[in-house]
Amino acid sequence: MTAALKVTAAIEATGRRARVEELLGADAVRARLAGLGAGAASQVLVLAPEDGEPGPTELAEPAEPAEPAEPSKPGEPGEPGEPDGLPVAELLRRGVELRVLLVDTARHRPAAVEYARRLTELGGQVRTVPALPLRMVVLDRETAVLPLDPARADTATVLHGRGPVAALCALFEGLWHGAAPLRRPRGRDRNGMAAQHYALLRILQQGDTDVVAARKLGISERTVRRLTAEALEVLGARSRFQAGARAAERGWLR
């Protein structure tokens, strides 16, 4: 069972004790997150796959009110931008603990690296992992904002209640424990492979498409194609099937 499915099962199991809101439309999502962020008192945890990756613009102090950003199309990865309306700089100025998890490919995106630098200067923390199961914001360990439809960034579910939100906090902490600070290099191993290459090969070995692999890893289809090409080159393979077979023979997919 995937991490996302485990979380879904945990939420459903405690659903009777939870209060749930459904948000439709990018403006509604951003407005609700802004309101929740303004009320956060102690901690905010963020999972930001590539299609929802935060960036440095929200940390800037604009000289005049900025025009609202156009929402990205459902399922279409965008460049790093404001994290869905969450008032990051204001949270950090108030002393709220902020921890953000991105995918490893953020290390190759200058805007994301700049975001990490500026956020850490304000007291926040940014780490990366090979894959993220879903977009998520958890506030004060008792409210969580999740995708209503994973294929659409302009919808969200707001979940209230420490019981059901505890499962999401456990998911975050498990990922955080194995993550590396974004500003620390995350190189390849002696095989010439990074953690994302192995994660992708395991997915492709199951026969999944680029679309499915991108969704499971929390990255774009273009990034999937790049990682696949790199893995094929390392393995000296001409096809995905051959790459999977060679990786399995070498014991890389255990």
Side-chain angles (χ1 to χ4, degrees):
M1 182 182 289
T2 66
L5 289 177
K6 289 180 181 178
V7 169
T8 300
I11 292 172
E12 290 177 348
T14 54
R16 293 182 180 179
R17 299 195 299 273
R19 181 167 63 87
V20 177
E21 304 173 45
E22 293 186 357
L23 304 176
L24 300 176
D27 290 341
V29 174
R30 291 174 65 85
R32 190 70 179 103
L33 258 176
L36 290 170
S42 59
Q43 184 187 71
V44 175
L45 310 175
V46 180
L47 296 186
E50 199 167 276
D51 64 352
E53 193 173 287
T57 55
E58 201 279 334
L59 295 175
E61 295 291 350
E64 56 186 15
E67 290 294 323
E70 288 293 324
S72 58
K73 297 178 181 179
E76 180 179 279
E79 287 300 311
E82 185 178 355
D84 298 325
L86 195 65
V88 171
E90 188 264 336
L91 286 167
L92 292 170
R93 292 191 191 99
R94 290 196 285 110
V96 175
E97 177 191 2
L98 175 66
R99 287 188 277 159
V100 180
L101 272 173
L102 309 177
V103 290
D104 283 344
T105 47
R107 296 173 178 275
H108 307 294
R109 302 166 78 89
V113 174
E114 173 65 8
Y115 167 81
R117 182 188 68 80
R118 299 178 69 178
L119 189 147
T120 52
E121 286 178 352
L122 289 174
Q125 301 177 64
V126 183
R127 295 185 181 183
T128 71
V129 289
L132 289 172
L134 75 170
R135 290 180 293 111
M136 180 178 80
V137 178
V138 177
L139 304 101
D140 292 336
R141 293 185 173 264
E142 58 185 29
T143 303
V145 183
L146 306 162
L148 178 60
D149 180 349
R152 294 184 56 185
D154 61 346
T155 67
T157 296
V158 183
L159 184 68
H160 302 271
R162 283 192 173 272
V165 173
L168 301 171
C169 293
L171 168 67
F172 182 93
E173 297 296 351
L175 292 168
W176 186 262
H177 179 73
L182 189 149
R183 298 185 68 185
R184 181 188 303 165
R186 189 167 186 137
R188 302 191 182 195
D189 61 15
R190 61 183 181 182
N191 298 322
M193 301 274 281
Q196 275 192 314
H197 293 113
Y198 293 114
L200 177 59
L201 283 171
R202 292 188 191 98
I203 292 171
L204 295 180
Q205 190 182 39
Q206 300 170 6
D208 288 335
T209 64
D210 286 355
V211 174
V212 174
R215 185 172 69 247
K216 287 184 176 180
L217 292 175
I219 60 179
S220 68
E221 292 177 52
R222 184 170 67 176
T223 301
V224 167
R225 291 191 291 271
R226 176 178 62 79
L227 291 172
T228 301
E230 291 173 354
L232 263 63
E233 182 179 0
V234 169
L235 289 159
R238 295 184 177 181
S239 68
R240 298 181 181 196
F241 177 80
Q242 188 180 42
R246 290 187 177 182
E249 289 172 0
R250 299 180 189 183
W252 290 3
L253 303 184
R254 296 173 183 173

